Amino acid sequence: MAQHRELIGRMDAWLAVRRPDYHALLQPGVDDGALDAFEAKFSLKLPEAFRALYRWRNGQPNSSFDSLQGNRMFSALEDIADTKEMLDDMIGFDFEDPATWRRGWVPFLSNGGGSYLCVDIDAEGGGLPGQLVGFWKADEDRPVEHASVEAWLAELVASMEAGTIEID
């Protein structure tokens, strides 16, 4: 069994016990067809850990403003597609600097104010494919926050289990 599946199981169990209201509002997972359609629409290949996360749950509904971690909410796949399409369409117009937004970024955690944690599929700006990049709309830097979706999950679950998770 892959590590990300174990981590998702531990996260699920933790949320069910310690944040039951949040756990209950998470939407049912998507199937491989929906993930395949997302990949085809944007001509990219999602990391397996990302696919597993969205098979588990399809984010939270737009009516919920509860954060999963920090001040970031867990976006539904259809919201990711809408956001990604909007931001991709801004390249060359609103985003004249190619480093502002890259087509290989998939924004899956949102602060609700236009900033996201993104899977960096291609690492076009440097680093390693699959790293997680912070897109802060008011800042020009795009820091690598985690080496991968699996590394983020490991850190998230460790913070949950240690009681150190921050939720705004």
Side-chain angles (χ1 to χ4, degrees), residues 8-51:
I8 291 168
R10 288 165 53 196
M11 176 174 61
D12 182 66
W14 189 92
L15 288 169
V17 171
R18 293 188 179 76
R19 293 186 66 197
D21 292 345
Y22 181 80
H23 185 264
L25 68 80
L26 292 174
Q27 302 180 116
V30 298
D31 61 19
D32 283 325
L35 293 162
D36 293 346
F38 182 93
E39 289 179 336
K41 178 177 183 163
F42 294 106
S43 301
L44 51 78
K45 180 76 174 136
L46 296 166
E48 183 52 38
F50 182 94
R51 291 178 66 98

Side-chain angles (χ1 to χ4, degrees), residues 116-167:
Y116 306 93
L117 184 63
C118 307
V119 181
D120 184 359
I121 301 297
D122 303 321
E124 183 183 343
L128 298 174
Q131 65 194 1
L132 302 188
V133 174
F135 172 84
W136 298 98
K137 70 174 189 173
D139 298 332
E140 291 184 24
D141 65 324
R142 302 292 181 252
V144 174
E145 295 188 19
H146 304 278
S148 64
V149 173
E150 196 158 277
W152 166 73
L153 278 168
E155 185 178 302
L156 174 62
V157 169
S159 71
M160 289 172 161
E161 294 173 348
T164 59
I165 186 170
E166 292 184 21
I167 302 166

